[in-house]
Amino acid sequence: MASDNKKSIISSFKWGRDSGISPDRLMAFTDGVFAIAITLLVLGLELPEADFTSGYSLYTFIHSLMPFISTINISFILLGGFWVYHHEFVRVKRVTVPFLWISIIYLLFVMYLPFTISVVGRYIEFVQANILFGFSMTLTSIWLLFMFYFAEKTNILEDDLVFDKRYTYETILIITLLIVVVTLLSYFVSDSFQALYLLMPVYSSIRAVRHEKVKINNQRTSIAELLREPVENEMTGDASLSKQFGMQCEEAFKSEIESIVKQEIVRNIAELGDDFINMTNDDKANEIAKMRTNI
């Protein structure tokens, strides 16, 4: 118990105090930045200053915009994908100061995407434009992975995300690899390979459905194993099923209570700040014991 408290205290001071900003407020700010970035994509489409004198000239103009429009469509899907992944994988219980700045840097990368998209849309024949676009997408994806890693290592992720962390790491890594491969194909082969970016939402949706099915099957298997009474226990009349349910409920309740107590102790220590740091080890132990009693 003392070891767990010590680990929580060290983690609290090592990774920074709470920022005072609620996770919902950070999510709202993130939504606003993504909305602005997507709006800027459409603002890149402009009519020429000269008036069209015939339907053919209008057709020629629209035809000239097709590569740019295609890029905007693909980029809209990609930006939407980054927004979906952020909300799906980076949900936190509290916002620390370091994580807040990591999130702001991620949004900085997002805000640069409309510029790189405009460059590749207007100068798609230049390999430098394709490289800039792919590099920007890759950097944004890698930083999203770093955000999840930081949140997971500092114990601020929501519990269900911690349980599925392997699924999250694999999904983001595969998406990053897809972006790198498409960028290389666009550079060395043809810019038409940019259409492969549309595999992102398809892959994400299929993977999410399969993962959910696996979770449901695992839960059914666990329940079936729990309900299956051993023959020996039936012979002796041992009520193993009731005992198993009772023990599991008791352990889950104890674990939940202990988690709440630890969170409250860490918050109290963070409020004390330097006063707690300057205490002797015995005083710290007594203060923590007093906090636990009050809770």
Side-chain angles (χ1 to χ4, degrees), residues 87-250:
H87 278 260
E88 183 181 1
F89 299 140
V90 195
R91 300 193 311 272
V92 295
K93 297 179 287 189
R94 58 191 181 90
V95 180
T96 60
V97 173
F99 180 79
L100 179 62
W101 283 107
I102 290 173
S103 299
I104 290 176
I105 294 174
Y106 172 73
L107 296 178
L108 175 65
F109 293 148
V110 170
M111 286 303 298
Y112 271 112
L113 289 178
F115 168 73
T116 59
I117 291 166
S118 298
V119 172
V120 76
R122 295 188 181 278
Y123 305 102
I124 196 170
E125 67 275 10
F126 299 130
V127 293
Q128 292 83 354
N130 289 280
I131 292 175
L132 177 64
F133 177 70
F135 177 76
S136 180
M137 288 291 181
T138 304
L139 192 60
T140 305
S141 181
I142 291 174
W143 198 260
L144 177 63
L145 181 64
F146 173 67
M147 284 179 64
F148 178 83
Y149 174 81
F150 183 89
E152 188 255 322
K153 291 301 180 182
T154 54
N155 301 318
I156 62 174
L157 275 180
E158 292 186 0
D159 295 335
D160 61 325
L161 296 178
V162 176
F163 179 76
D164 291 336
K165 64 181 180 181
R166 179 178 178 181
Y167 162 75
T168 302
Y169 280 125
E170 290 178 353
T171 301
I172 300 179
L173 283 173
I174 292 174
I175 292 299
T176 304
L177 181 62
L178 172 65
I179 292 173
V180 172
V181 169
V182 174
T183 301
L184 292 176
L185 288 174
S186 300
Y187 175 75
F188 289 106
V189 184
S190 171
D191 52 47
S192 300
F193 280 98
Q194 284 191 0
L196 292 177
Y197 282 123
L198 297 178
L199 291 176
M200 180 187 290
V202 176
Y203 161 77
S204 177
S205 300
I206 294 175
R207 184 172 173 80
V209 171
R210 292 182 61 185
H211 178 67
E212 196 63 28
K213 286 183 177 179
V214 170
K215 286 177 63 177
I216 293 173
N217 290 335
N218 289 340
Q219 290 173 357
R220 288 175 177 172
T221 302
S222 300
I223 294 173
E225 291 176 353
L226 185 62
L227 294 175
R228 190 180 299 118
E229 287 285 349
V231 177
E232 308 87 67
N233 289 345
E234 290 181 359
M235 296 292 292
T236 60
D238 184 15
S240 61
L241 181 60
S242 300
K243 287 183 178 181
Q244 281 182 297
F245 273 118
M247 291 175 61
Q248 286 189 355
C249 292
E250 184 179 354

Side-chain angles (χ1 to χ4, degrees), residues 30-40:
T30 302
D31 291 345
V33 172
F34 270 97
I36 293 173
I38 289 177
T39 302
L40 290 175

